[in-house]
Amino acid sequence: MAGLAASGSNPDVDLLYDINGLAKDAPPWFDRVMEFVGEYGLLFAIVLLVLWCWWSVRRRGEEDAASSVAALVWAPLAAGIAVLVNVPIRGFVERPRPFLDHQGLEVLVSGKNDYSFVSDHATIVMAMAVGLFVANRKFGLVALVLAVFGGFIRVYMGVHYPTDVVGGFALGTAVALLLSPVAMALLTPVVRAVERSPRVGWLVRSRGRGDAGDGPDAVAPGARSERAGASERDLAA
């Protein structure tokens, strides 16, 4: 397995040189920007999308807020599980980084001496993007576009073959989708319990002015009808 894609005559390596060749022609400042975006920027952007979606869900305070928040919680959990699944895959394939087997690549980041297949970055961003798509189509579509762009940048940086990225996309998608029913069945009751909590319920659904327990004038269910009945008895007397 260590010799996977070792030849420069296959489409995987040809595409690697084509995409990485763009880095050679770009100005140094642009390569530095791409390096930062590829290492940290896009992952940070997807995390912000998840937080933005959570804030939007809790502010609307809809009845299904708990299930939506549970799906958002699943997004980063899916990414973590996918990375764990990737550990034995990397150990089995043992594919070296492309710059170790191929000369003339413009490598934008140093210190990448671990195995190349499957790309952890591609796995993480795609798992989170798919998890977010399950929770919200609008935010999820934006995250999917960012994830695909992130995979392109990993090849641009010279640290991954295109198939490393495709494999990461497939792994992240599979974990996020296949384990989603089980995850939702486990997470939704927990999130509903949090929603009912008077202390941390705001994490799931914002408390409206008319919600029970909010403000000094709030009354328990049934209290208003009892008060109205007492007033009617006073009038009758």
Side-chain angles (χ1 to χ4, degrees), residues 1-211:
M1 288 292 179
L4 184 63
S7 171
S9 62
N10 65 67
D12 194 23
V13 177
D14 292 341
L15 189 57
L16 165 67
Y17 274 105
D18 289 341
I19 296 176
N20 180 254
L22 300 174
K24 292 184 177 181
D25 299 331
W29 66 265
F30 185 79
D31 284 346
R32 299 289 78 79
V33 171
M34 294 291 277
E35 175 189 346
F36 176 80
V37 172
E39 282 288 291
Y40 313 106
L42 286 176
L43 178 58
F44 182 66
I46 293 178
V47 170
L48 286 181
L49 279 176
V50 173
L51 293 176
W52 186 4
C53 186
W54 161 75
W55 184 258
S56 175
V57 167
R58 67 167 294 277
R59 284 190 65 187
R60 288 199 303 268
E62 298 174 351
E63 292 298 326
D64 61 342
S67 59
S68 297
V69 173
L72 291 173
V73 173
W74 168 237
L77 290 178
I81 293 174
V83 170
L84 292 177
V85 172
N86 190 29
V87 172
I89 295 177
R90 280 194 166 197
F92 175 72
V93 177
E94 295 184 345
R95 186 188 215 179
R97 295 280 181 170
F99 54 81
L100 297 177
D101 287 335
H102 305 285
Q103 302 297 319
L105 292 174
E106 185 76 10
V107 183
L108 301 187
V109 59
S110 59
K112 300 289 185 180
N113 297 318
D114 54 342
Y115 293 126
S116 182
F117 186 90
V118 177
S119 168
D120 276 340
H121 275 77
T123 301
I124 292 172
V125 295
M126 186 54 73
M128 291 192 65
V130 172
L132 182 55
F133 184 80
V134 171
N136 185 285
R137 299 293 187 268
K138 180 178 67 175
F139 285 95
L141 284 174
V142 176
L144 287 172
V145 172
L146 292 178
V148 171
F149 182 57
F152 171 85
I153 295 180
R154 301 304 291 177
V155 182
Y156 179 95
M157 294 166 60
V159 295
H160 281 294
Y161 295 97
T163 49
D164 296 338
V165 171
V166 173
F169 288 167
L171 177 58
T173 300
V175 170
L177 289 182
L178 295 179
L179 298 183
S180 178
V182 176
M184 291 299 295
L186 296 174
L187 291 173
T188 301
V190 175
V191 176
R192 291 194 189 281
V194 172
E195 183 182 18
R196 291 191 296 269
S197 171
R199 292 186 177 182
V200 294
W202 61 270
L203 290 170
V204 180
R205 190 148 60 101
S206 61
R207 301 299 187 183
R209 294 181 62 182
D211 286 354

